[in-house]
Amino acid sequence: MYLRQMETDDIGILLDMAHAEGWSSDVFEFELFHKLDPGGCFSAIADKKVVGGVMTFTYPNSGWIGNLVVDKKYRLKGFGKALLRRGLQHLSSLPTIFLCASPMAVGLYSEFGFRKVSNINRWEHRGMTLDMPGSNENLEHVLAVDNNCWREDRSLMLSRMLTNRSYVFNEGAWLGFGLVGDHWTIGPWEAYNKDSALDLLKRAIVDSKDQRILVDVPAQNTRAWDILTVMDFEVVGKTVLMCRGLLPDIAFGNIYGLASMGSKG
Ligand SMILES: CC(C)(COP(=O)(O)OP(=O)(O)OC[C@H]1O[C@@H](n2cnc3c(N)ncnc32)[C@H](O)[C@@H]1OP(=O)(O)O)[C@@H](O)C(=O)NCCC(=O)NCCS
């Protein structure tokens, strides 16, 4: 077995592994990671084929480990740890590293010095979709709200990501959304107060049979819990946000939805 830098052709293979796990991921997201930092994405090779991968994502003051996956047939042979170690090495100059752990991987990450920051609930709504009520954009405003919530300059990632998503905003909030495979996802969704957050969800959501919406929400945001319950969303899963190093003063109470399903905050 050996590790090498991820190649564009590996992405489809790794995406199949991600989908076998039921992840909400698409080729746009994997390619975005890869394009932004090809030197920070690694594949594990065994029997002359790709059997696993990991992606890293770098902001100015923090990094993310995302999409760590190993082919089911090749698990428990050390590939996962080797990939994680390589990803961490790539991010080693940053003071903070985050990841969202599936429950099965929490022990593995704890061994590498990660500690729990927050549970992340995955909420689902069936029978609704999201629709763009208008075409107004204000990138400067939404990036400023995001910066206030995460205490991080995420503008490079978000401006690229928003080329593939729609968003609505008001004075105190914004809500991004997009189609990922066969379902819709909400995120980022950030607000200074509950009314602003609810206003945007009500504006964007419309009835539609056979459609479903997912959003990943920090569990300590009780206002998000109230809104999603009232709007008939249900919790269908849980991950754990973990951190290694310094934990910035993130305003979790203002974060109603992560930017993506688990891979970059
Ligand atoms: C998590 C995952 C990447 C681990 O890959 P792997 O190649 O099996 O990992 P390793 O062989 O390097 O094992 C790493 C450690 O995790 C432990 N581990 C792996 N799978 C486990 C499981 N299902 N339950 C409990 N512990 C597990 C191993 O026992 C090992 O610990 P040890 O060295 O102390 O024995 C792999 O199981 C996977 O792809 N899972 C599905 C996707 C996923 O959950 N990814 C993590 C997203 S946050």
Side-chain angles (χ1 to χ4, degrees):
M1 183 281 275
Y2 63 94
L3 303 186
R4 64 154 165 73
Q5 202 172 305
M6 194 176 289
E7 294 171 4
T8 313
D9 287 349
D10 302 349
I11 288 176
I13 302 168
L14 294 165
L15 205 49
D16 286 346
M17 290 178 209
H19 288 153
E21 294 303 321
W23 288 0
S24 169
S25 315
D26 65 1
V27 71
F28 179 85
E29 186 200 323
F30 273 45
E31 283 181 358
L32 174 67
F33 268 87
H34 191 243
K35 272 185 209 147
L36 282 176
D37 188 4
C41 300
F42 306 95
S43 297
I45 311 295
D47 301 331
K48 297 187 182 160
K49 58 184 183 188
V50 174
V51 299
V54 68
M55 295 178 148
T56 67
F57 200 92
T58 308
Y59 298 116
N61 298 304
S62 58
W64 279 77
I65 295 274
N67 301 325
L68 172 64
V69 67
V70 171
D71 186 323
K72 285 192 172 118
K73 290 190 257 358
Y74 289 85
R75 287 185 190 165
L76 297 175
K77 296 175 191 297
F79 296 94
K81 270 190 179 172
L83 284 162
L84 177 59
R85 208 172 277 122
R86 189 68 192 83
L88 290 174
Q89 193 187 336
H90 184 75
L91 299 175
S92 60
S93 62
L94 292 161
T96 307
I97 303 176
F98 291 108
L99 53 82
C100 278
S102 56
M104 76 183 278
V106 168
L108 165 66
Y109 296 131
S110 304
E111 267 183 53
F112 283 80
F114 283 87
R115 62 193 188 281
K116 178 176 168 177
V117 175
S118 169
N119 284 326
I120 304 291
N121 290 320
R122 172 154 302 176
W123 293 79
E124 182 188 65
H125 192 301
R126 288 181 177 266
M128 296 286 250
T129 187
L130 293 151
D131 194 20
M132 189 78 167
S135 57
N136 278 355
E137 290 192 4
N138 188 340
L139 193 58
E140 198 181 333
H141 170 61
V142 305
L143 294 178
V145 176
D146 187 79
N147 202 328
N148 282 336
C149 291
W150 283 94
R151 321 282 189 223
E152 176 64 283
D153 176 6
R154 311 197 315 159
S155 52
L156 179 64
M157 179 275 286
L158 287 174
S159 51
R160 297 274 187 102
M161 189 181 161
L162 291 175
T163 61
N164 192 45
R165 292 177 91 73
S166 308
Y167 64 88
V168 285
F169 63 93
N170 55 28
E171 202 178 324
W174 75 291
L175 178 151
F177 58 93
L179 193 58
V180 175
D182 64 353
H183 58 276
W184 289 83
T185 64
I186 290 177
W189 181 21
E190 295 156 356
Y192 296 135
N193 60 69
K194 187 174 162 183
D195 289 346
S196 303
L198 179 59
D199 168 53
L200 293 184
L201 184 61
K202 283 187 170 164
R203 255 207 259 165
I205 205 164
V206 285
D207 283 330
S208 173
K209 269 192 200 160
D210 308 326
Q211 301 272 347
R212 66 193 177 108
I213 305 170
L214 297 177
V215 56
D216 277 358
V217 186
Q220 66 263 58
N221 187 342
T222 52
R223 286 172 291 200
W225 184 284
D226 293 345
I227 289 177
L228 291 165
T229 307
V230 166
M231 297 293 285
D232 289 330
F233 281 70
E234 280 178 18
V235 175
V236 292
K238 189 179 281 187
T239 55
V240 182
L241 175 64
M242 301 183 83
C243 163
R244 191 171 102 159
L246 295 173
L247 178 62
D249 184 20
I250 297 169
F252 285 110
N254 295 338
I255 297 175
Y256 289 68
L258 301 189
S260 71
M261 303 286 112
S263 45
K264 52 189 177 294

